[in-house]
Amino acid sequence: MVYPGTTALMSTLVGDTIKQARAKLVEEKNGERAKLLTEDDNIIDSMFLDRRQNGGNGQTLVVCFEGNAGFYEIGCIGTPTELGFSVLGWNHPGYGESTGIPFPDQEQNAVDTVMQYAIHRLGFLPENICLFAWSIGGYSASWAAMQYPDVKQVILDATFDDIVPLATSKMPGAWKNLVTFTLRKYMNLNVSELLNEYLGPILIIRRSKDEIITTDVTPGYPPNISTNRGNFLLQNLLKKRYPNLINEAASALLDEWLAGESSHQEIMFMTHQVDSNYCKSVLEKYSSTYPINIGENLNQDQKKQLVLYLASKYMQDFDSTHCTPLPPIYFRTPWSHSQL
């Protein structure tokens, strides 16, 4: 249930489609297909689109991390490809032509092999590599960011913070203890824990109608955006990076900000008189090395301004459900404290 792409049913349903899409990537996009051998002897199927000769975005390699029903042939690689980036797609162990089973240890070995291939065979320096993940791919991308801390940036689309609260909300209440025990033992996908170890630029894209990573979903009604697990991913990240700023009052303000879409957030900006120039001037006084000890000498109104300003920089909303392809306009360079 966690990785349905490994099932025979999924292979039957999309097998012909991914074969045709793979052929198009080679024939129409000049894709270079490679089979990569992992440390645990799995074969990872990959596809590389080299745009370096075009200059511009092509000098950056976007390594894509697909969702649990995604394949590189028909997955999230479409967005950076459309923008002219060099792109490296790959399939989870057991997906498509990749061998194995995507338990965390095999997934981590696959990620490490893909990153080693990107750096040592394809010739991209880590500082020219962007990690882009959709849905459950956020786990793999966060692990990669932790292991390769010099990568340029991380962009997480429709990703959760921790699989356990998400999974227990989708299963019968009587199964909660069993589900929790099983996932913690065999499939402990704690994205926040890994992501918080990466100190570079991060962008979290939250889908405001996301029916998959929202825990409160009533048939016939929009998902309750305040229960989108991406909210917790942002909160945990800000607490890690700005520990003196994100106190109890700030957490309550964040909850309020995350309880609505962009229009709601704009109203909060006006209500709390958020001055972007002021926020920049305050942040400029601090080193860009995390954690940043900002907040000790600020009053509550100043802290509120900074909290909302930072939240708006680390997260952007996309008014969509979970599986809609990400429009290129949302694929942007993450905000960076070091560039103030």
Side-chain angles (χ1 to χ4, degrees):
M1 293 180 68
V2 177
Y3 283 99
T6 61
T7 63
L9 176 60
M10 181 66 78
S11 298
T12 300
L13 291 174
V14 303
D16 290 341
T17 300
I18 64 173
K19 287 178 183 178
Q20 293 170 9
R22 187 188 310 138
K24 285 184 177 181
L25 287 171
V26 174
E27 297 167 2
E28 299 178 9
K29 304 288 186 182
N30 297 316
E32 301 174 21
R33 189 183 182 198
K35 297 289 188 73
L36 311 178
L37 180 64
T38 68
E39 184 178 1
D40 50 0
D41 293 326
N42 281 332
I43 301 294
I44 301 301
D45 189 11
S46 72
M47 183 69 69
F48 172 51
L49 305 181
D50 192 353
R51 307 292 182 76
R52 282 174 287 193
Q53 69 277 9
N54 299 336
N57 287 342
Q59 301 305 311
T60 296
L61 176 68
V62 178
V63 180
C64 297
F65 300 78
E66 298 293 344
N68 66 357
F71 302 79
Y72 76 70
E73 295 90 343
I74 54 175
C76 65
I77 72 168
T79 300
T81 297
E82 190 171 340
L83 291 169
F85 289 94
S86 292
V87 178
L88 177 58
W90 58 282
N91 282 333
H92 299 288
Y95 277 56
E97 297 298 318
S98 293
T99 66
I101 303 173
F103 284 113
D105 57 339
Q106 294 188 41
E107 186 76 6
Q108 291 168 9
N109 284 329
V111 170
D112 190 51
T113 299
V114 168
M115 293 298 293
Q116 290 292 314
Y117 174 65
I119 296 168
H120 297 293
R121 183 60 63 88
L122 300 181
F124 287 89
L125 296 174
E127 55 264 34
N128 292 325
I129 296 177
C130 166
L131 308 181
F132 172 45
W134 173 61
S135 193
I136 206 170
Y139 169 79
S140 310
S142 297
W143 190 87
M146 181 180 70
Q147 296 297 318
Y148 295 86
D150 295 328
V151 294
K152 183 176 184 178
Q153 58 200 27
V154 176
I155 301 175
L156 301 180
D157 176 22
T159 297
F160 54 85
D161 61 321
D162 182 6
I163 195 172
V164 169
L166 180 60
T168 53
S169 73
K170 307 296 183 183
M171 302 296 286
W175 295 13
K176 182 176 181 179
N177 290 340
L178 174 62
V179 172
T180 299
F181 171 81
T182 303
L183 289 175
R184 287 288 181 237
K185 184 173 178 62
Y186 298 105
M187 198 67 70
N188 188 25
L189 308 186
N190 191 321
V191 178
S192 271
E193 187 175 69
L194 302 178
L195 187 66
N196 286 351
E197 297 302 314
Y198 173 67
L199 304 182
I202 296 171
L203 174 63
I204 299 170
I205 300 172
R206 181 181 70 164
R207 296 175 175 236
S208 56
K209 302 295 190 302
D210 199 317
E211 74 286 11
I212 301 299
I213 68 163
T214 301
T215 57
D216 182 3
V217 180
T218 302
Y221 294 89
N224 182 352
I225 196 171
S226 67
T227 66
N228 185 303
R229 297 306 304 187
N231 298 347
F232 302 90
L233 190 63
L234 174 67
Q235 291 172 322
N236 292 337
L237 180 64
L238 293 181
K239 288 176 183 176
K240 177 73 173 184
R241 293 191 168 192
Y242 309 94
N244 291 333
L245 185 62
I246 309 301
N247 54 22
E248 185 175 343
S251 294
L253 184 68
L254 267 177
D255 286 340
E256 183 182 355
W257 188 82
L258 291 165
E261 302 180 39
S262 299
S263 58
H264 164 80
Q265 294 162 5
E266 290 171 3
I267 292 172
M268 287 191 65
F269 259 58
M270 291 187 290
T271 301
H272 294 281
Q273 300 179 328
V274 178
D275 184 337
S276 296
N277 290 328
Y278 164 75
C279 293
K280 289 178 184 178
S281 68
V282 174
L283 290 166
E284 284 173 349
K285 298 175 183 177
Y286 292 82
S287 165
S288 59
T289 302
Y290 299 110
I292 296 175
N293 293 319
I294 188 173
E296 294 178 337
N297 301 318
L298 302 176
N299 62 42
Q300 286 302 314
D301 288 338
Q302 292 170 329
K303 288 182 179 180
K304 287 178 180 179
Q305 284 195 60
L306 281 168
V307 169
L308 294 177
Y309 176 81
L310 289 169
S312 71
K313 293 301 181 182
Y314 279 94
M315 175 180 277
Q316 68 173 349
D317 273 345
F318 172 32
D319 185 18
S320 173
T321 55
H322 189 72
C323 294
T324 306
L326 184 72
I329 192 174
Y330 290 95
F331 191 94
R332 63 174 175 83
T333 300
W335 176 84
S336 173
H337 185 116
S338 62
Q339 293 176 357
L340 286 169

